[in-house]
Amino acid sequence: PVCVRSDAFLQIFTLAMILIGFSQFQCYLKPWRAGVCNAIDGLLGSFLVALLLCAVMAVEVDANQQAFTVIGTLVLVGMFSAALWAMVVACYKVFRPTPFYNMFLCHHKLHAAGQVRLIKSVVTKTTSKTVFIDSDDLVDLDTLFDTVKTRVERFVIYLTSATLTRAWCCGEIVSATWSKLAMTKVHTASFVAPTTSQLHNLDVYVNQEGSSLAHYGMSLTAVAVSLNRLLAEDVPVIKIDRTVSGSRKFFNVAHSLIARNHEAHPSLVGERSILISASRENDEAVSAAALFAIKFRDAVMNSSDIGMWCMPDHFEDLGECTAILEGCHSVVVLLSAATLKSREELCFVADAMA
């Protein structure tokens, strides 16, 4: 069927709108793997419309004045409406950015990925707060610093031995400083504050291999100022209590961050239990064991008399674990860097397999 029979102007306009709509939809779908190919595809669609308009100028067209007036008015109204809509959306995103995070946990993934994930799990399970960690929430690396600047209420930095030597962590600290976010430091046993000499030689102290803070408008001078601000005594600090055994110390950190009294550590023990073994000396292994317990706790609680023992939380040494092996339903051994080098842990694994 023919939609427009006699009005040449309306025919041309309709065809142009069809081509433009198809081109926009094609760009939205991003059918090509490479971004440049999608851009070229959109340009080709635009050139088709331009070619159509050039053809119009080459021929005589009897335009219906009334149709011309109505369509022109609709186009102008649509254009201004789109511009107004874009401005409203932009203002909304500036003043009410989404998603918004109550807490941003800055950390060095090599040394503290498990510990930070455990803290996030405790905070989100006991409160309605949202917590950002890059392993879970980072979509585009180029938007990381903008997220800190515009979508975060509180900046928490988990300080291990190499946190401040990582360029991305330094960039997050600079972003938080520029945005004047509330900051909290968490000191682990391995953290040693940089010396004055190291702060004066950040080009050596900070490892920028594979990343350049200058690309994001951050100079080493800005990094030095931000680090000095972070290390100031007036910035609240939470120190991990090494006298507390197992994962309790990480639960205590989470409760301190949400200003809640330290609660009894969750445990579930039954006559037939799952025993989770992990190296007590390795904080990442302890955190992994606690996360494993949290993930499976609901399933375990729904299983008759089966309970759960988490070795770093319930036993002082592997000898105590060995004593209850006969009553265990199953044993989960979490392998960490030193597990197979420890004679005590190897003996425990052998006893569990016997």
Side-chain angles (χ1 to χ4, degrees):
V2 179
C3 296
V4 182
R5 280 183 188 277
S6 57
D7 194 327
F9 169 77
L10 198 55
Q11 290 175 344
I12 295 168
F13 180 81
T14 302
L15 184 56
M17 288 299 99
I18 292 173
L19 291 174
I20 291 173
F22 178 80
S23 179
Q24 292 293 321
F25 185 67
Q26 183 103 335
C27 289
Y28 173 77
L29 291 178
K30 297 180 180 178
W32 307 104
R33 185 183 297 273
V36 65
C37 294
N38 291 303
I40 291 173
D41 202 349
L43 283 173
L44 289 175
S46 300
F47 283 130
L48 282 175
V49 176
L51 185 62
L52 176 64
L53 296 177
C54 289
V56 171
M57 292 185 288
V59 298
E60 293 184 3
V61 177
D62 294 328
N64 185 318
Q65 188 63 36
Q66 184 179 2
F68 179 81
T69 303
V70 171
I71 292 174
T73 302
L74 290 175
V75 169
L76 285 174
V77 170
M79 183 176 65
F80 284 112
S81 298
L84 180 61
W85 176 79
M87 291 175 62
V88 170
V89 170
C91 291
Y92 180 82
K93 287 185 176 293
V94 168
F95 294 105
R96 294 293 299 273
T98 56
F100 188 82
Y101 302 96
N102 300 108
M103 197 179 298
F104 184 103
L105 291 177
C106 172
H107 64 288
H108 194 306
K109 285 188 288 187
L110 181 62
H111 299 148
Q115 300 162 58
V116 167
R117 185 176 291 277
L118 176 58
I119 291 170
K120 174 183 177 177
S121 178
V122 175
V123 171
T124 54
K125 280 181 176 293
T126 54
T127 69
S128 59
K129 295 181 181 295
T130 53
V131 180
F132 181 103
I133 61 173
D134 49 11
S135 300
D136 292 343
D137 306 290
L138 183 61
V139 177
D140 185 354
L141 193 58
D142 287 334
T143 65
L144 175 61
F145 300 146
D146 286 334
T147 298
V148 177
K149 292 177 185 177
T150 62
R151 299 183 179 183
V152 173
E153 178 183 0
R154 183 183 181 190
F155 183 81
V156 179
I157 180 164
Y158 197 84
L159 293 167
T160 51
S161 59
T163 304
L164 299 184
T165 65
R166 189 167 181 258
W168 291 111
C169 292
C170 288
E172 292 165 3
I173 295 168
V174 172
S175 299
T177 302
W178 285 352
S179 299
K180 299 181 180 180
L181 295 180
M183 290 189 184
T184 302
K185 299 176 290 190
V186 179
H187 280 193
T188 65
S190 64
F191 173 67
V192 178
T195 64
T196 303
S197 175
Q198 288 172 325
L199 290 175
H200 287 161
N201 295 278
L202 288 177
D203 54 332
V204 177
Y205 181 71
V206 178
N207 180 13
Q208 295 197 65
E209 184 178 352
S211 60
S212 175
L213 294 178
H215 176 71
Y216 299 94
M218 300 177 183
S219 65
L220 290 179
T221 302
V223 173
V225 170
S226 299
L227 291 183
N228 280 311
R229 174 72 190 94
L230 174 73
L231 298 171
E233 294 183 357
D234 62 330
V235 176
V237 58
I238 299 172
K239 293 185 178 180
I240 293 183
D241 187 355
R242 304 304 300 183
T243 63
V244 177
S245 62
S247 63
R248 292 180 181 85
K249 51 182 173 284
F250 306 119
F251 278 79
N252 290 347
V253 170
H255 293 149
S256 296
L257 288 173
I258 58 179
R260 177 174 294 188
N261 293 331
H262 297 172
E263 301 174 353
H265 188 68
S267 62
L268 180 62
V269 180
E271 295 180 0
R272 295 187 306 134
S273 298
I274 297 174
L275 175 61
I276 305 173
S277 171
S279 174
R280 295 174 60 87
E281 290 73 30
N282 188 316
D283 285 342
E284 284 294 273
V286 171
S287 301
L291 283 167
F292 182 91
I294 289 173
K295 295 296 184 182
F296 286 89
R297 193 172 302 278
D298 292 340
V300 169
M301 290 178 69
N302 293 329
S303 303
S304 60
D305 61 341
I306 295 180
M308 183 178 293
W309 294 94
C310 194
M311 188 276 289
D313 296 330
H314 295 97
F315 304 99
E316 292 298 326
D317 56 53
L318 288 174
E320 297 180 17
C321 288
T322 305
I324 68 162
L325 277 176
E326 291 183 3
C328 286
H329 176 273
S330 57
V331 177
V332 177
V333 179
L334 296 181
L335 298 176
S336 55
T339 299
L340 300 182
K341 298 179 182 179
S342 169
R343 179 181 178 85
E344 186 182 23
E345 292 194 45
L346 287 174
C347 290
F348 171 77
V349 172
D351 289 339
M353 296 176 64

